[in-house]
Amino acid sequence: MTKSQSSKAQKIDTQLTQIGRNPSDFHGFVNPPVVHASTVLFPDIETMSLGSQKYSYARRGTPTTESLENAITELEGAAGTKLATSGLNAIATACLSCLKAGDHILIADTAYGPTREFADTVLPKFAIEVDYYDPALGANIKNLFKDNTTAVLTESPGSLTFEMQDIPALASAAKNIGATVIMDNTWASPLYCRPLDLGVDLSIQAGTKYIVGHSDVMLGTISASERAWPALHAFHGTTGLHVAPDDVYLALRGLRTLSVRLERHMKNALVVADWLKTRPEVANIRYPALESDPGHSIWKRDFTGASSLFAFDFRQGTTDAQSTLFFNTLTLFGLGYSWGGFESLAIPVKLKDQRTATAYDADQKSARLHIGLEDPEDLINDLAQAFDKAFG
Ligand SMILES: *Cc1c(COP(=O)(O)O)cnc(C)c1O
């Protein structure tokens, strides 16, 4: 829930083994218990009416939800963290916690598709104005500010086209007008980017991805700065959000291996991306970890690592039939949404209906890959046979 007291001197790998658990509270068992609960009993009416008991009702928190909240709070360097039932629900909750009727929010044009759908269909019902901004704007986002701009929602890099954004510049411009900056930090995870250190107020994780890491749970986290925490805490509590204990437990379990998994994901992704450079079917690779990427310098400045999600553009003139055959021929890469699990995935990228503030090439055919924990040589062989069949 709120900031816990683990030693700041500890390195991240050590922290990952310590955070969110306190064996002496639970008879020495290494992991926190999975508390299935609704009712919490009080010893007497006085305690009940004082509201001083640590737990009052499971919706408001249990030792299980608190363990994960505390762990994420440590990793994000936050004042507090709340859990949500999915990554998308975390984004919706963060937005609604800081917006009211008559407000205006600016959203990065690269935002995750369902984020756009939420903003375009739900926010206007509450008389909240939505505009999209070019992710390359940086400090110039100030030119888009209106008198009623109260929030900026960013995602860096965008999870389809991977443009990096100058978050410190955006955040400092937003701060000048008192606007809340929300960042979807799913790509980097709290291990490779700490948005709150860059001036962001609300950092979001689709825990579904790398934190859970095994493609078996939907979960979101929202971590807040001191400034944004009271509104988040109040909104989360009054709207009744609660995540089931087994799912919370699986996220905590995933967290213990996040660092070793991410390290291997990145290593494998770089091997595959380097190989893709040699393929005549590939025109361009969109991966900030590559020196050739236009976002590489920002990535190097603000991030400490890269995850394994990136995209490549098929060469000009690639037909629908060729790209479809490419995807259908893959065997190790599954065709499916999401990412961050142990297994590799591929999807075609279509920018139509996903961009409104920046120009894009509607004919460009691209592929998004999530590189899993398989041996990269096997992944390369799979991609090679799919290219050969589709373009041969
Ligand atoms: C998947 C994803 C989400 C949403 O997470 P869910 O748990 O699937 O709702 C949000 N942002 C990004 C960048 C994602 O990739």
Side-chain angles (χ1 to χ4, degrees):
M1 207 169 91
T2 44
K3 204 169 271 183
S4 66
Q5 272 87 48
S6 94
S7 162
K8 284 281 163 282
Q10 281 178 358
K11 300 279 195 288
I12 191 78
D13 283 356
T14 311
Q15 275 190 46
L16 281 172
T17 70
Q18 303 293 320
I19 53 179
R21 63 188 194 88
N22 194 1
S24 62
D25 286 352
F26 305 112
H27 312 284
F29 290 107
V30 167
N31 287 295
V34 179
V35 177
H36 281 269
S38 55
T39 301
V40 181
L41 300 177
F42 298 85
D44 48 46
I45 290 296
E46 289 80 354
T47 312
M48 202 172 196
S49 48
L50 263 177
S52 57
Q53 186 165 290
K54 184 167 183 194
Y55 303 106
S56 59
Y57 189 52
R59 192 201 321 113
R60 291 278 183 176
T62 68
T64 311
T65 57
E66 215 177 64
S67 291
L68 181 59
E69 287 169 350
N70 285 343
I72 301 294
T73 292
E74 288 285 337
L75 293 178
E76 297 264 11
T81 295
K82 286 293 181 189
L83 306 182
T85 51
S86 68
L88 182 58
N89 182 248
I91 290 163
T93 299
C95 289
L96 293 173
S97 79
C98 66
L99 290 167
K100 61 180 187 318
D103 283 353
H104 173 236
I105 181 171
L106 282 165
I107 303 179
D109 208 24
T110 47
Y112 176 64
T115 298
R116 280 185 94 101
E117 196 182 344
F118 160 76
D120 292 342
T121 61
V122 177
L123 294 182
K125 287 206 290 187
F126 298 95
I128 294 158
E129 275 183 78
V130 178
D131 275 317
Y132 292 91
Y133 70 88
D134 179 343
L137 277 185
N140 286 328
I141 195 169
K142 67 176 190 296
N143 299 328
L144 301 181
F145 289 159
K146 300 186 189 180
D147 290 344
N148 58 340
T149 304
T150 46
V152 174
L153 171 55
T154 179
E155 182 188 322
S156 181
S159 57
L160 286 177
T161 46
F162 301 93
E163 287 109 317
M164 292 296 300
Q165 298 184 44
D166 191 339
I167 301 297
L170 282 174
S172 133
K175 203 172 206 163
N176 285 339
I177 58 159
T180 301
V181 181
I182 307 165
M183 176 165 162
D184 182 337
N185 186 35
T186 304
W187 184 83
S189 94
L191 256 57
Y192 290 166
C193 177
R194 298 224 314 179
L196 271 54
D197 293 348
L198 304 177
V200 167
D201 299 293
L202 292 164
S203 173
I204 278 145
Q205 286 291 327
T208 309
K209 311 290 166 61
Y210 287 112
I211 290 176
V212 165
H214 294 74
S215 307
D216 51 5
V217 174
M218 305 295 304
L219 188 136
T221 70
I222 314 150
S223 298
S225 63
E226 294 285 353
R227 187 169 88 92
W229 173 245
L232 175 68
H233 183 266
F235 183 83
H236 187 277
T238 51
T239 50
L241 250 184
H242 180 76
V243 181
D246 292 315
D247 288 348
V248 175
Y249 183 80
L250 287 171
L252 263 171
R253 175 194 272 231
L255 207 56
R256 304 295 172 207
T257 56
L258 182 60
S259 178
V260 280
R261 283 187 287 111
L262 277 177
E263 197 177 312
R264 182 65 71 86
H265 277 298
M266 179 176 174
K267 188 172 158 220
N268 288 357
L270 283 167
V271 172
V272 174
D274 280 338
W275 175 81
L276 283 168
K277 286 184 201 158
T278 68
R279 292 299 304 201
E281 299 88 350
V282 173
N284 176 39
I285 300 171
R286 300 168 179 271
Y287 190 28
L290 297 181
E291 249 170 72
S292 53
D293 190 276
H296 185 70
S297 58
I298 291 184
W299 172 76
K300 248 179 117 165
R301 184 192 69 189
D302 296 342
F303 289 48
T304 52
S307 68
S308 64
L309 190 77
F310 67 88
F312 69 83
D313 299 336
F314 288 105
R315 74 176 179 219
Q316 268 219 316
T318 296
T319 64
D320 279 333
Q322 281 172 319
S323 81
T324 300
L325 187 55
F326 169 80
F327 288 107
N328 283 343
T329 308
L330 292 168
T331 58
L332 269 179
F333 283 86
L335 304 182
Y337 298 113
S338 198
W339 40 280
F342 52 84
E343 84 292 10
S344 289
L345 294 170
I347 53 165
V349 176
K350 293 196 193 87
L351 291 183
K352 203 169 174 304
D353 306 326
Q354 298 264 2
R355 287 294 169 97
T356 50
T358 41
Y360 65 93
D361 178 358
D363 295 328
Q364 178 63 60
K365 290 179 185 60
S366 307
R368 189 185 79 181
L369 302 180
H370 166 251
I371 305 301
L373 301 177
E374 303 90 345
D375 189 304
E377 227 180 281
D378 291 332
L379 295 175
I380 285 171
N381 288 340
D382 192 28
L383 292 165
Q385 61 87 25
F387 278 130
D388 291 346
K389 176 131 185 223
F391 291 83

